[in-house]
Amino acid sequence: MNCTKCKTKAVIDLPRHNAAFCKGCFNVFVHDQTAKAIKSQKMFGKDDRILVAVSGGKDSLALWDILLKLGYKADALYVNLGIGAYSEESHRKVTKFAETTAAAHGATLHVHTVQEEAGAGIKELAQLIHRPACSTCGTIKRYQFNRVALEHKYDVMATGHNLDDEAARLLGNVLRWQEEYLDKQAPSLPASLEGFAKKVKPLYRLSERELAAYSVLNRIDYIVEECPMAKGARTILYKEVLNRLETESPGTKQAFYWGFLDKQSKPEAAPTTMAERDQASLHPCSVCQQPTTAEVCSYCKMMARAKTHSASSCPPV
Ligand code: AMP
Ligand code: FES
Ligand code: ZN
């Protein structure tokens, strides 16, 4: 198998593009796809300060690497969730990348440790407030992404969501017709309030397999294991189903998700989107000033519940 572009030996085939690439041409392909996503969705420019949310996994570390190599000003945030060995290992991978590749580009890593602020890791916190670990985790991550972006005046926040993530999420939303979530699935979401960072997903044109190949070829050391709390999650099943369809008919995933984006971009498709309606009712949380549609935001409510529960479970002195 030879590279479609330069005819030397190919290292990867891409059936959905009817192509095969050598390492050099594959890197150009990955960088081009990311640059195309940034441009077509008006995500950010060369003067903007970007905060990349890095988990230690292949997608977000590849994103940080690509943005730095494309010449963007990209720092990163890692949230240590306190999930035992998994968090320790992912923290190590992020620190290693920050101290080598990122440092060579003059980029900085911010770290937020849940245990330090909340007094417990995600698992214990979720048990304390009787909520599933994944939703507790989601609230904390969203909150910390926004807080750090605001405190350090970043213009935009980028996550490593890829084509597989977005197609699986779309499938889940469509299967249940969760229309309220559909218009929040754009790869570029405007700032929810004046002064808050917009949120973007520059890797939505690249698949999980392509990003794994990019990381391996470029010697990015990432954590291979999935979060232990995610076992049995429905998105894993949706990804498996989509992968079967993709094998039978290459290009299915991109036709599904990009087709949805095409329809969504037509103004007549959504005169007033749910996101716009939500935006109109947002105001600062009365405790922490972050945007919320309620009096007190869900993070502050969660922390208050955790405090009450931990106080009531303390033995009397
Ligand atoms: P996931 O929801 O685990 O698929 O992660 C989606 C994206 O969220 C990743 O690509 C990262 O950009 C970001 N992310 C997930 N976990 C963390 C974390 N612990 N710290 C910082 N960013 C994260
Ligand atoms: Fe949030 Fe696993 S990453 S619970
Ligand atoms: Zn709050």
Side-chain angles (χ1 to χ4, degrees), residues 54-177:
V54 289
S55 63
K58 62 184 183 322
D59 306 306
S60 49
L61 284 180
L63 175 61
W64 199 9
D65 182 87
I66 296 165
L67 293 182
L68 291 172
K69 286 177 180 162
L70 287 175
Y72 287 102
K73 293 180 201 157
D75 289 340
L77 167 66
Y78 169 70
V79 178
N80 186 319
L81 299 158
I83 310 175
Y86 170 77
S87 290
E88 282 164 26
E89 180 71 357
S90 56
H91 199 158
R92 260 196 301 277
K93 305 281 184 193
V94 171
T95 307
K96 186 174 167 194
F97 187 88
E99 287 173 352
T100 52
T101 311
H105 284 87
T108 309
L109 171 70
H110 303 271
V111 175
H112 173 80
T113 306
V114 171
Q115 186 111 25
E116 275 172 17
E117 186 172 303
I122 291 288
K123 210 168 155 185
E124 298 76 22
L125 212 54
Q127 275 164 359
L128 209 57
I129 59 171
H130 307 291
R131 268 185 55 184
C134 280
S135 73
T136 308
C137 169
T139 304
I140 290 184
K141 281 194 292 203
R142 273 191 302 278
Y143 185 89
Q144 296 302 337
F145 292 167
N146 233 351
R147 182 188 63 79
V148 174
L150 179 69
E151 274 179 19
H152 296 270
K153 296 191 168 52
Y154 285 98
D155 300 292
V156 51
M157 234 217 59
T159 53
H161 293 96
N162 58 40
L163 177 60
D164 295 51
D165 294 325
E166 295 308 292
R169 188 169 158 203
L170 179 60
L171 182 60
N173 288 338
V174 168
L175 287 175
R176 288 189 171 65
W177 286 117

Side-chain angles (χ1 to χ4, degrees), residues 180-211:
E180 72 274 23
Y181 294 140
L182 286 180
D183 42 59
K184 289 189 180 143
Q185 259 218 264
S188 183
L189 288 173
S192 48
L193 266 187
E194 185 70 27
F196 283 88
K198 72 192 266 195
K199 298 191 175 65
V200 297
K201 299 171 182 171
L203 300 182
Y204 80 90
R205 300 180 64 90
L206 292 158
S207 73
E208 206 147 288
R209 176 174 167 265
E210 288 153 10
L211 288 159

Side-chain angles (χ1 to χ4, degrees), residues 143 285-290 292 296-301:
Y143 185 89
C285 161
S286 62
V287 180
C288 73
Q289 312 305 314
Q290 286 230 42
T292 173
V296 175
C297 77
S298 47
Y299 181 86
C300 289
K301 278 188 202 148

